[in-house]
Amino acid sequence: MEKLVFVALICVILSESNACFTSNHAHFTRMRIGSRFYQECRCDEPGSEGVNLKWLDSHNQEIQPLRPGIESNVYSEWVDEDTYRLFISNLGRSISGDYKCVTNHNGQTYALTYNVEAYDRPYFINTNETQYVVSGKNVTIFCEARSETDPLIIWYKQDGLTKIKDDDKYETSPEGLIIKEVTNDDKGLYKCAASDLKTGEEIIRDILVEVISVPEITEIVASPDSNVVAGGILEIVCMATGSPHPEYVWRKIPKYPLSIRNASFPSQLSHWKQEANKITIYDVNENDAGAYECTASNVAGSSSGSVNIDVYFMPEIIKYDSVVAIEGSTVQIVCGAQGLPIPQISLNYLGEYNERGLGWDMKNVSEIEAEFYLTFFPVNRSHEGVYICNASNFLYTDQKEINLTVLYAPKFGKPFEHAWGWSGHNTNLSCDNESNPPANITWMYQGNDLSEEEQTEINNIMADKMHNNPLIIENISLYGTYQCVAHNEFGEDKKVIALRQGFIPGAINNVTITNLTSTSVTFSINGPEFVNGPKLKAYKAEYDEVENYNITDIHINRTWSIDRPFRLDRLRPSTVYYIKFAAINDVGDGPWSEVYDFATLEKSVPLEPVWEADVEEAAAFERKLKWKQEELVDSYNIRLCPMYNGIIEEEICKDKTIESAAEYELNELDSNTTYYLELVAHNSNGSSTPAHIMFTVPAKEESLLSAGALIGISIVIVFLCLVLLDVLLLLWRRQGIIAHCCHKKKKNKREVSLNSRDRKGLLRDNPEPTDVQKRASNGHREYEYNKTTGVITGKHSAV
């Protein structure tokens, strides 16, 4: 600290003047500005004229005494009748000069002259009490002073006693003390002393030197990682060295030139927080990606570093516009998506189409955006439909639908068709076509062998139906040729329909027997050679035994669809039957054929077994074999063979014979195994041809817990329920097993207490036992007293 020299009340008192001095004398006085100066002028032996003293200023003007109400910096005053004093309350340069005390002695004027000079005290400029120096550099500790003359500057080390001299470490200069290659050891307190050689005044300034260093960023750490998933929390810590401790400023350099999804930085500061050298970003989104620059700075300087942050976010499809195209043109479907990692994009068509004439490409538009292009060269109506765009990365898969609509002219599948009509039946003539947009329909009619007048009349009748689809023909007389014209803005197409009168089928003339047994017969039927009408849809038969055929007109009827076997079952063995057939179409039933006869066999081997529907699935999953039960079957032989690599393992096949039945449980099947199975029907006449299937038994689904574990868990649960019930009974009614045990325990305690009292009474009755043991009986319990140890023990005695 600077030493303060108080000058408020310093006064200089010179020697008293001789009484009524008779000589001139001069005195020189130097005083600091602001000091007080006073000087007495005394006359001890006045002359005949008495005391005659006065004070003159530097301008030889008389200095008057201070009068009431008047303030003056320079004034005189009488101390007593012999002493006259000069007083300067605040000395300054403007009033410096010669001050004279003047007297007259014997007519002669004499003066005592006092030259008063004001001077400035030394003072420091540009000298801070705390100064910072940078480690490793040559620095100057500034200390400058001003005084009447150039002051002498002397530097001292911390103790204030050791003077600093110029050497390899230190060098003095007009600006201050130069310290070379500053180290941390150079910090501390230095003293700068400034002396005025003219006045001898010295001032000292303590200077605290702090050694500082430029910040250096050692590491910038992102947690949990510099690659973060959107929605999480990101912390970035900037670690730096430097003295004094640096302050931190963060700056973000966005990764993407344009914000994603209409978000921008720094508008996201609502979820961005800085705490000293750490920033925390809450609910991270894709717009938080970029370089985060940390600047650490102090008075010594600054340094910067950065870390790149990538934000992984789920794909979002942003471009999926539906497309409308004209058939035959080249068209492109575009699917664009954003995401990080950049998403993989694919297009799936909901349907089947020809891949010929298609081209596809995918490119990355930016670091986060990709586009997939599907081009049709050219597009046709088979390409129309819904395309599913999939964009995926490891976080998510986004899907959007893109509709491709193809516009095209009408097109009929067949340009010519036949249609049939008959009395009592409305005929629908279809003009269905492929077109987009839907076509306008127009019908035209040309009858068979009609005059112009008849044609005009029919056209008038059809006027209301001209644009109908389908066209319903209610008048059976309107046989002829119909033309349908389908038209839209892209073209037209025509279709001709010949409406003819339909008739029932003709008679059946060719029937043969393909299989005959004792209880069944199977026929092969060839329909009529020519059908002038709709196609056949079924056959019917009427049959009966010969003995009954001529007795009544009511016989058994059977109808088969065209695709079914023509077989009759449940016939009597060794019996002759009559049968006749007829064909059926939409117009009606045709005439009966001639009557055929056949005789069933007395005995026959069974037919090949017929499986029930979905027999393979039932065998594999239900482990059950099902077939249709046949008559005249005594037993079935089942042969089961495992298959490996498509080969039947004959040596380990298993055969089983069962009585006549319609199903069989397959209990000995191995999981994850393919089997070949044959079923053969037997009776006394022989065996049928084998019916066979192949099926695969799926692998078993492993149970999470074994049967033993499930039983153990069930027992534990039951036990816990019983314990809980017993606790409830204890708390509610003081009943149950726990209550009973507690009651029994209390009862035993009471018995022990009673026995203790009995033992005490026994001792009182026998104060001096004579033997080692004395016994006393109490009910069924005996007590023994040991004289040596003084212990009483009890034991049960036999009853």
Side-chain angles (χ1 to χ4, degrees):
M1 298 292 293
E2 179 185 349
K3 291 184 177 180
L4 300 178
V5 180
F6 292 91
V7 298
L9 298 176
I10 296 178
C11 298
V12 177
I13 303 176
L14 302 179
S15 61
E16 296 181 356
S17 46
N18 295 325
C20 296
F21 46 85
T22 56
S23 61
N24 296 317
H25 294 281
H27 301 276
F28 181 79
T29 301
R30 291 176 58 86
M31 298 185 70
R32 284 180 294 176
I33 294 175
S35 301
R36 288 184 178 182
F37 174 82
Y38 73 92
Q39 178 64 50
E40 291 181 353
C41 185
R42 185 178 179 83
C43 183
D44 292 331
E45 298 180 2
S48 59
E49 299 178 358
V51 177
N52 184 13
L53 296 175
K54 60 180 178 181
W55 282 97
L56 302 177
D57 61 15
S58 58
H59 301 290
N60 290 323
Q61 299 292 324
E62 183 178 355
I63 300 173
Q64 299 295 329
L66 190 65
R67 288 179 292 178
I70 298 176
E71 294 182 1
S72 178
N73 190 33
V74 181
Y75 59 91
S76 61
E77 64 181 359
W78 288 96
V79 180
D80 53 39
E81 61 182 8
D82 298 324
T83 307
Y84 196 31
R85 181 170 61 182
L86 171 68
F87 190 83
I88 303 175
S89 61
N90 189 3
L91 187 61
R93 288 184 184 275
S94 61
I95 59 176
S96 296
D98 292 336
Y99 288 83
K100 300 173 185 178
C101 180
V102 179
T103 188
N104 291 319
H105 183 69
N106 299 328
Q108 185 71 34
T109 300
Y110 297 96
L112 296 177
T113 302
Y114 298 92
N115 183 274
V116 180
E117 182 180 351
Y119 67 88
D120 281 330
R121 183 187 181 197
Y123 59 91
F124 290 106
I125 62 170
N126 300 327
T127 304
N128 295 326
E129 294 182 355
T130 301
Q131 298 188 33
Y132 298 94
V133 296
V134 180
S135 177
K137 297 184 178 181
N138 296 340
V139 299
T140 299
I141 304 174
F142 295 98
C143 181
E144 295 183 63
R146 295 289 184 268
S147 64
E148 294 296 314
T149 61
D150 290 337
L152 175 64
I153 303 295
I154 301 176
W155 288 91
Y156 297 93
K157 289 189 176 179
Q158 297 184 17
D159 54 8
L161 301 175
T162 306
K163 183 178 179 181
I164 297 176
K165 299 179 180 180
D166 290 352
D167 55 17
D168 294 338
K169 184 66 176 177
Y170 302 102
E171 181 181 341
T172 58
S173 71
E175 291 79 15
L177 177 65
I178 299 174
I179 305 176
K180 302 174 182 178
E181 296 181 0
V182 173
T183 65
N184 198 50
D185 295 334
D186 294 322
K187 67 181 180 180
L189 194 65
Y190 290 77
K191 294 181 181 294
C192 175
S195 302
D196 189 335
L197 298 179
K198 183 177 180 180
T199 63
E201 290 248 11
E202 181 183 61
I203 55 175
I204 298 175
R205 172 66 58 87
D206 289 340
I207 300 175
L208 179 62
V209 175
E210 294 283 355
V211 177
I212 62 176
S213 58
V214 177
E216 180 181 353
I217 295 178
T218 58
E219 189 177 11
I220 301 178
V221 179
S223 177
D225 193 71
S226 59
N227 297 327
V228 62
V229 177
I233 298 177
L234 173 66
E235 291 184 350
I236 307 176
V237 180
C238 180
M239 291 177 280
T241 60
S243 180
H245 194 72
E247 295 182 351
Y248 298 88
V249 175
W250 289 91
R251 185 171 72 97
K252 179 194 171 187
I253 305 172
K255 181 174 182 180
Y256 311 116
L258 297 176
S259 62
I260 304 174
R261 301 174 188 171
N262 298 323
S264 61
F265 188 88
S267 64
Q268 305 296 314
L269 290 179
S270 59
H271 72 284
W272 189 86
K273 178 181 179 182
Q274 178 178 351
E275 296 175 339
N277 65 329
K278 180 178 76 173
I279 59 173
T280 304
I281 303 175
Y282 302 94
D283 193 16
V284 176
N285 62 59
E286 48 270 32
N287 293 285
D288 294 318
Y292 287 78
E293 182 182 74
C294 168
T295 299
S297 59
N298 59 16
V299 294
S302 64
S303 65
S304 299
S306 63
V307 62
N308 289 316
I309 299 298
D310 280 324
V311 179
Y312 293 148
F313 59 96
M314 295 185 296
E316 181 185 15
I317 297 175
I318 59 174
K319 186 179 295 185
Y320 53 99
D321 296 330
S322 295
V323 177
V324 177
I326 300 175
E327 187 174 37
S329 62
T330 298
V331 67
Q332 188 176 75
I333 294 177
V334 181
C335 177
Q338 288 181 341
L340 195 70
I342 193 164
Q344 294 295 317
I345 303 178
S346 63
L347 274 175
N348 297 327
Y349 177 65
L350 296 182
E352 297 181 1
Y353 63 93
N354 191 342
E355 292 188 358
R356 289 182 296 179
L358 298 182
W360 53 86
D361 187 22
M362 179 175 173
K363 70 177 182 179
N364 296 338
V365 179
S366 66
E367 296 181 11
I368 60 170
E369 184 177 348
E371 290 183 350
F372 186 93
Y373 309 95
L374 179 62
T375 307
F376 302 88
F377 304 103
V379 67
N380 60 58
R381 67 193 67 187
S382 67
H383 298 141
E384 184 177 66
V386 177
Y387 292 79
I388 303 298
C389 177
N390 299 282
S392 62
N393 60 18
F394 74 93
L395 294 173
Y396 180 69
T397 297
D398 192 19
Q399 284 189 346
K400 288 290 187 296
E401 291 185 359
I402 300 176
N403 290 292
L404 173 61
T405 302
V406 180
L407 305 177
Y408 49 90
K411 181 68 176 177
F412 290 106
K414 296 179 180 179
F416 181 82
E417 285 185 4
H418 282 286
W420 299 96
W422 56 92
S423 178
H425 173 73
N426 293 338
T427 303
N428 295 341
L429 301 183
S430 173
C431 194
D432 292 338
N433 61 89
E434 293 183 4
S435 61
N436 193 14
N440 294 319
I441 303 300
T442 302
W443 287 94
M444 289 184 288
Y445 171 74
Q446 179 64 51
N448 299 326
D449 300 328
L450 293 177
S451 65
E452 184 176 348
E453 292 78 8
E454 291 174 326
Q455 179 67 53
T456 302
E457 182 181 357
I458 293 175
N459 289 342
N460 293 332
I461 295 174
M462 290 186 58
D464 295 336
K465 304 179 180 181
M466 185 170 294
H467 302 290
N468 291 355
N469 183 28
L471 176 63
I472 301 176
I473 306 300
E474 299 174 352
N475 190 340
I476 196 59
S477 65
L478 296 180
Y479 297 117
T481 302
Y482 291 80
Q483 184 181 65
C484 171
V485 179
H487 173 81
N488 65 13
E489 59 187 287
F490 300 103
E492 69 176 26
D493 197 11
K494 297 178 181 180
K495 176 182 178 181
V496 175
I497 302 176
L499 177 60
R500 300 168 59 190
Q501 184 177 4
F503 299 92
I504 61 175
I508 296 174
N509 297 318
N510 191 357
V511 178
T512 58
I513 297 175
T514 59
N515 191 19
L516 182 65
T517 69
S518 58
T519 58
S520 66
V521 62
T522 303
F523 299 98
S524 173
I525 303 174
N526 294 327
E529 295 181 1
F530 176 74
V531 178
N532 187 17
K535 63 181 180 179
L536 299 180
K537 65 178 183 180
Y539 293 109
K540 72 175 183 177
E542 183 181 272
Y543 67 96
D544 206 340
E545 297 177 10
V546 172
E547 297 175 355
N548 299 328
Y549 202 83
N550 295 320
I551 297 175
T552 178
D553 293 333
I554 301 174
H555 306 295
I556 303 172
N557 285 276
R558 174 69 186 272
T559 302
W560 302 278
S561 61
I562 293 296
D563 55 346
R564 297 292 301 275
F566 309 129
R567 176 178 169 180
L568 297 177
D569 294 306
R570 302 183 182 279
L571 303 178
R572 294 177 61 184
S574 301
T575 303
V576 178
Y577 286 86
Y578 284 156
I579 188 171
K580 57 183 178 182
F581 300 92
I584 303 173
N585 67 4
D586 289 333
V587 179
D589 297 349
W592 288 110
S593 68
E594 63 181 18
V595 177
Y596 297 89
D597 65 90
F598 65 90
T600 57
L601 301 178
E602 182 180 359
K603 294 180 180 180
S604 63
V605 299
L607 298 175
E608 178 181 331
V610 178
W611 301 111
E612 291 286 0
D614 301 324
V615 64
E616 292 89 351
E617 183 176 348
F621 294 96
E622 301 177 17
R623 303 198 178 193
K624 184 179 291 185
L625 198 63
K626 295 181 180 181
W627 62 91
K628 293 182 179 180
Q629 189 170 8
E630 297 285 347
E631 297 178 354
L632 304 178
V633 175
D634 298 332
S635 63
Y636 290 97
N637 182 70
I638 300 172
R639 182 175 176 82
L640 184 65
C641 304
M643 298 179 66
Y644 297 99
N645 299 323
I647 300 175
I648 299 175
E649 300 292 333
E650 296 286 350
E651 63 274 8
I652 56 175
C653 291
K654 295 180 179 179
D655 290 288
K656 179 72 174 179
T657 300
I658 63 173
E659 294 181 356
S660 178
E663 64 179 30
Y664 176 70
E665 296 286 342
L666 299 171
N667 297 321
E668 299 180 359
L669 299 181
D670 296 329
S671 300
N672 199 25
T673 305
T674 300
Y675 287 93
Y676 173 81
L677 186 144
E678 284 186 353
L679 179 66
V680 179
H682 294 277
N683 64 13
S684 58
N685 297 313
S687 300
S688 69
T689 56
H692 59 84
I693 58 170
M694 287 191 298
F695 60 92
T696 300
V697 180
K700 283 185 178 180
E701 295 184 0
E702 296 185 1
S703 176
L704 297 178
L705 294 175
S706 64
L710 293 174
I711 293 173
I713 292 173
S714 302
I715 293 173
V716 171
I717 293 174
V718 172
F719 178 75
L720 292 176
C721 292
L722 292 174
V723 171
L724 179 61
L725 178 62
D726 201 63
V727 170
L728 293 175
L729 288 173
L730 171 66
L731 298 176
W732 181 37
R733 302 291 299 272
R734 300 292 179 182
Q735 294 180 353
I737 298 174
I738 298 176
H740 178 73
C741 293
C742 293
H743 176 72
K744 185 175 181 181
K745 185 176 181 181
K746 291 180 180 178
K747 183 177 180 181
N748 291 337
K749 286 183 178 180
R750 288 196 297 268
E751 290 180 356
V752 171
S753 178
L754 292 173
N755 292 335
S756 176
R757 289 197 297 270
D758 291 345
R759 289 196 297 271
K760 291 180 181 179
L762 179 63
L763 290 176
R764 286 195 300 268
D765 295 340
N766 300 280
E768 295 180 356
T770 56
D771 301 326
V772 176
Q773 296 180 344
K774 288 286 184 177
R775 303 183 179 213
S777 62
N778 183 15
H780 300 297
R781 182 179 291 273
E782 291 184 350
Y783 300 93
E784 295 180 356
Y785 175 75
N786 190 306
K787 182 179 179 181
T788 304
T789 61
V791 175
I792 297 176
T793 59
K795 65 178 181 178
H796 289 285
S797 60
V799 178

